Amino acid sequence: QICLSLVKLLFYLAHSPLGSIVLLDFQPRQFVMVDGNLKVTDMDDASTEELSCKEDDDCTLDFPTKSFPLKCSVVGRCEGINEKKNLFNAYRYFFTYLLPHSAPPALQPLLSDILNATGDLRYGINETLRAFEKVLHLYKSGLYLQKRPLLLKDYISLKGFRTVEGEDYKCWPSYSHLGCLLSIHSAEEAAAICNSQSQCQSFIVTQQRTWTGRPLASFQSSWTDLIPDTNAVVYIKRSASSGERL
């Protein structure tokens, strides 16, 4: 969410009515999330000036660990330097820390492609935004889910019940520090996640939604403490419930 919002902001700056705008003091502290969107807190260090040049050798974009040769345009300006400077700063301050840890395994290769392409400045802001929107579409639609055996049949569903909330086993990247609360596309995906975790014996698809509209599922190591909840459905592994009366 943070990276996509940042890319949308940089897309606007690259195509602003004033011309391509560069953020000269590009630091995480210069941004704040407002209603799910990243905003710049200080535009004092923004500029529309692009480096003037006479030849390509005048247009090297330097960073502490990398340098990029750019083209000198016919009007004597370093072509796309503001856009590329913003984008590489987004890569080194945001993408490298957030992208590798923020998606289901099936989507991680696509995020790695974005990471590599922005880190080498092979992508401009237009290509970067398209790549992010493709990942978001796959994520929201569930199209990233590979064909796999249907696992929900291995679970008993009890409508009108949920387990008692409390501290349980932890997982990554959980939305709760008290237990394992993950974003899912469907109960079928939740069953696959539960099967992959040795501690998991049951899960509940909650009424909570993430910013993409996906429900959150709570994964638990037991199912014995059930309480009535008309809006809930608890799914229990058949192997966990064998020999027990539900």
Side-chain angles (χ1 to χ4, degrees), residues 157-164 203-205 220 223-236 246:
S157 64
L158 290 177
K159 294 182 179 179
F161 290 93
R162 64 177 174 84
T163 52
V164 176
F203 65 87
I204 299 167
V205 180
Q220 291 152 343
W223 56 269
T224 51
D225 296 325
L226 298 179
I227 57 175
D229 185 336
T230 55
N231 296 318
V233 181
V234 60
Y235 295 85
I236 302 165
L246 295 178

Side-chain angles (χ1 to χ4, degrees), residues 38-70:
L38 210 63
K39 306 283 187 182
V40 183
T41 59
D42 184 4
M43 292 293 288
D44 288 347
D45 293 312
S47 173
T48 57
E49 288 187 27
E50 290 193 312
L51 188 65
S52 59
C53 57
K54 292 182 179 179
E55 55 186 24
D56 290 351
D57 288 346
D58 298 328
C59 292
T60 301
L61 182 56
D62 289 316
F63 292 94
T65 58
K66 276 191 176 183
S67 296
F68 299 95
L70 303 181

Side-chain angles (χ1 to χ4, degrees), residues 20-235:
S20 182
I21 299 174
V22 63
L23 300 175
L24 298 174
D25 186 21
F26 197 116
Q27 299 282 342
R29 65 173 180 269
Q30 299 281 20
F31 300 89
V32 64
M33 289 292 281
V34 180
D35 297 327
N37 294 305
L38 210 63
K39 306 283 187 182
V40 183
T41 59
D42 184 4
M43 292 293 288
D44 288 347
D45 293 312
S47 173
T48 57
E49 288 187 27
E50 290 193 312
L51 188 65
S52 59
C53 57
K54 292 182 179 179
E55 55 186 24
D56 290 351
D57 288 346
D58 298 328
C59 292
T60 301
L61 182 56
D62 289 316
F63 292 94
T65 58
K66 276 191 176 183
S67 296
F68 299 95
L70 303 181
K71 296 289 185 183
C72 182
S73 70
V74 292
V75 295
R77 297 288 177 186
C78 294
E79 213 167 81
I81 192 167
N82 288 353
E83 172 188 327
K84 292 180 186 297
K85 189 170 186 178
N86 283 341
L87 189 55
F88 189 78
N89 278 327
Y91 159 81
R92 66 183 183 134
Y93 287 120
F94 287 88
F95 299 170
T96 53
Y97 297 105
L98 299 177
L99 287 187
H101 314 291
S102 57
L107 290 177
Q108 286 174 3
L110 295 178
L111 293 180
S112 292
D113 288 345
I114 294 174
L115 199 60
N116 293 331
T118 52
D120 295 335
L121 287 184
R122 285 183 284 112
Y123 279 2
I125 192 61
N126 295 358
E127 295 89 348
T128 303
L129 180 57
R130 280 197 297 269
F132 268 100
E133 288 180 334
K134 176 184 176 182
V135 173
L136 179 63
H137 171 67
L138 293 172
Y139 185 61
K140 291 174 72 173
S141 65
L143 291 172
Y144 67 91
L145 293 169
Q146 300 167 341
K147 290 184 179 179
R148 62 179 79 182
L150 298 178
L151 301 173
L152 200 57
K153 59 180 173 46
D154 297 329
Y155 289 76
I156 297 168
S157 64
L158 290 177
K159 294 182 179 179
F161 290 93
R162 64 177 174 84
T163 52
V164 176
E165 292 183 11
E167 192 165 348
D168 208 322
Y169 76 92
K170 314 296 191 298
C171 67
W172 175 262
S174 178
Y175 282 78
S176 169
H177 67 282
L178 295 176
C180 186
L181 186 67
L182 300 174
S183 161
I184 59 164
H185 174 68
S186 62
E188 187 64 52
E189 184 183 14
I193 293 171
C194 189
N195 274 25
S196 71
Q197 298 174 345
S198 59
Q199 306 101 312
C200 185
Q201 298 298 316
S202 66
F203 65 87
I204 299 167
V205 180
T206 73
Q207 299 297 305
Q208 295 173 268
R209 300 271 169 173
T210 69
W211 66 280
T212 60
R214 287 162 54 100
L216 293 178
S218 176
F219 298 87
Q220 291 152 343
S221 58
S222 69
W223 56 269
T224 51
D225 296 325
L226 298 179
I227 57 175
D229 185 336
T230 55
N231 296 318
V233 181
V234 60
Y235 295 85

